[in-house]
Amino acid sequence: MPAGLRRTLWVLPVAGAVAFWALWHLRGSQAPAAIAEAPPAVPPAVAPETIARPYAAGAPEEVVAEAPVPALGAFELRQLCGRPWEAAFTDECEAALERRYRDRVPDLKPLDRQFRPVMLGEPVTWAEVFDDPAGDLAAAREALGRPECLVPKGQLRLDLREDCAADEMAKLAILRAECAVSIHRHYSLESRQRRWDTGLADAHRAADQAEYHRRLERMDDDWFGMMWRLGKCRALPEGALGALGPFRRPLGWWILGHEQVELMLTAARLGSDWALSSVLWWPPNVSNPGDEELNTSEDVINEVGGERPVLAELLRMRRTQGAEQIAHALVALQLGDALGVPVQAEGVLRIIGLIDLDEERAAWPLAARRLIRLGWTLVVADPAGGEPRRFEAPEQVLGDEPWLDWLGEGRFRMVAAPVPTPP
């Protein structure tokens, strides 16, 4: 990717940050055995090509599965489902809403200090949040009854992620925050009608007809999504919104979501990527409850780095400033690419801010030396086909190397440094 385009993607707002992240996937790397980081657990995909059909005799018959039904657009949903704020949905409409919204990533806009799924690992989807709330609730309730799962502030126990149902806690925190506002705010048809009319009045103030229709389409999309989630919330099992462990029940409205902070923090201390994404994303300031959790000691971060080096770099990134902070961000992105651990550029930029080319250039020598110290050899290919240039020791990085040019030209890669053989 040309350096100019790369710079443009760096300094774009958050919407362009995801495109910037694609740059980090242009290079192949090999992970050092000493610092292997486990990627988030992802359920195995089920191949849809064939299905087995019951048979009376002879060999089992295999037939090609039907192609998946495409998701309807907002205009088509209006034709099928009627007025979104009325939420008088048929079974056919409900199925269409499920197809459109289940795989979306939650973005709790009124609660973006509580959850923002853009930092580490694969983002959670609404399908994962709503698919088994009863099972998530049972697993979290059992875990929260055990003292070892209530990790003290400033500590991380990544080894307890599975045993203490960290991901289930994170999903419940998202679900409870969403449903507290959804059930309260959209309780009556009259309240929903008032909010729709307010949005419609805003759409009527559009500068032109094209913008007017864009606003209407956004309104339809937002409202159909909200009403789909409202239906999911109303179907929750008993106790899903009650008191859980040492935490209060969701109360809703203006203090909405704050009762879920401790549940999300608990999941983060146990190593849930979804919860860590939320807590890492919170901007550092004195009023932020996440600061105390993440201002861990250097010993804790070093311990984390032995098992999850990408997370360790993100923790260091969050507590530093200037060129050092940018360097830790670059290292996290490079390590994530090499180790197969997704690091979302949007979340990184949320912490370090928009940076320009000179700032990135100044941070690269620091990042290169750190990558070498972490057990990587940095290799730059010779465009003429000669021997590649290898950086195997921090002192080989002089500070004037054109790292950005090498990256833009696709000549840079990372390889594992040899693991020393015991005497």
Side-chain angles (χ1 to χ4, degrees), residues 23 44 47 76 109 128 132 137 139 153 163 210 235 296 304 341 382:
L23 168 73
E76 296 167 307
K109 293 176 182 178
E128 291 168 300
D132 187 20
L137 179 64
K153 295 178 180 180
D163 290 345
T296 54
V304 168
V341 179
D382 182 352

Side-chain angles (χ1 to χ4, degrees), residues 70-82:
L72 298 181
F75 176 78
E76 296 167 307
L77 283 177
R78 174 64 87 98
Q79 300 298 110
L80 174 64
C81 299

Side-chain angles (χ1 to χ4, degrees), residues 155-222:
Q155 299 296 313
L156 292 169
R157 286 296 307 273
L158 309 183
D159 58 310
L160 295 177
R161 175 178 175 173
E162 296 292 334
D163 290 345
C164 289
D167 286 343
E168 286 78 2
M169 290 184 198
K171 287 190 289 184
L172 281 174
I174 300 166
L175 179 149
R176 287 154 66 91
E178 165 68 18
C179 291
V181 66
S182 185
I183 291 175
H184 183 95
R185 197 176 190 187
H186 307 305
Y187 180 76
S188 68
L189 177 61
E190 291 76 13
S191 67
R192 299 198 300 270
Q193 177 74 64
R194 286 194 298 269
R195 293 189 61 236
W196 173 268
D197 290 342
T198 300
L200 189 61
D202 180 68
H204 282 300
R205 290 190 285 270
D208 54 50
Q209 195 73 3
E211 177 60 22
Y212 169 72
H213 286 292
R214 279 194 294 271
R215 292 187 185 188
L216 283 182
E217 185 174 3
R218 284 197 300 268
M219 282 181 61
D220 279 348
D221 187 50
D222 288 345

Side-chain angles (χ1 to χ4, degrees), residues 21 24-25 27-32 35 37 310 331-343 371 376 413-416:
W21 169 236
W24 304 98
H25 293 278
R27 302 178 306 280
S29 303
Q30 293 178 322
I35 56 169
E37 172 144 353
V310 176
V331 171
L333 288 164
Q334 292 286 349
L335 286 177
D337 181 43
L339 299 170
V341 179
V343 180
L371 285 166
W376 297 88
R413 64 190 179 97
M414 293 163 48
V415 298

Side-chain angles (χ1 to χ4, degrees), residues 128-147:
E128 291 168 300
V129 170
F130 282 121
D131 271 357
D132 187 20
D136 295 337
L137 179 64
R141 181 173 286 150
E142 190 278 332
L144 290 170
R146 291 186 278 132

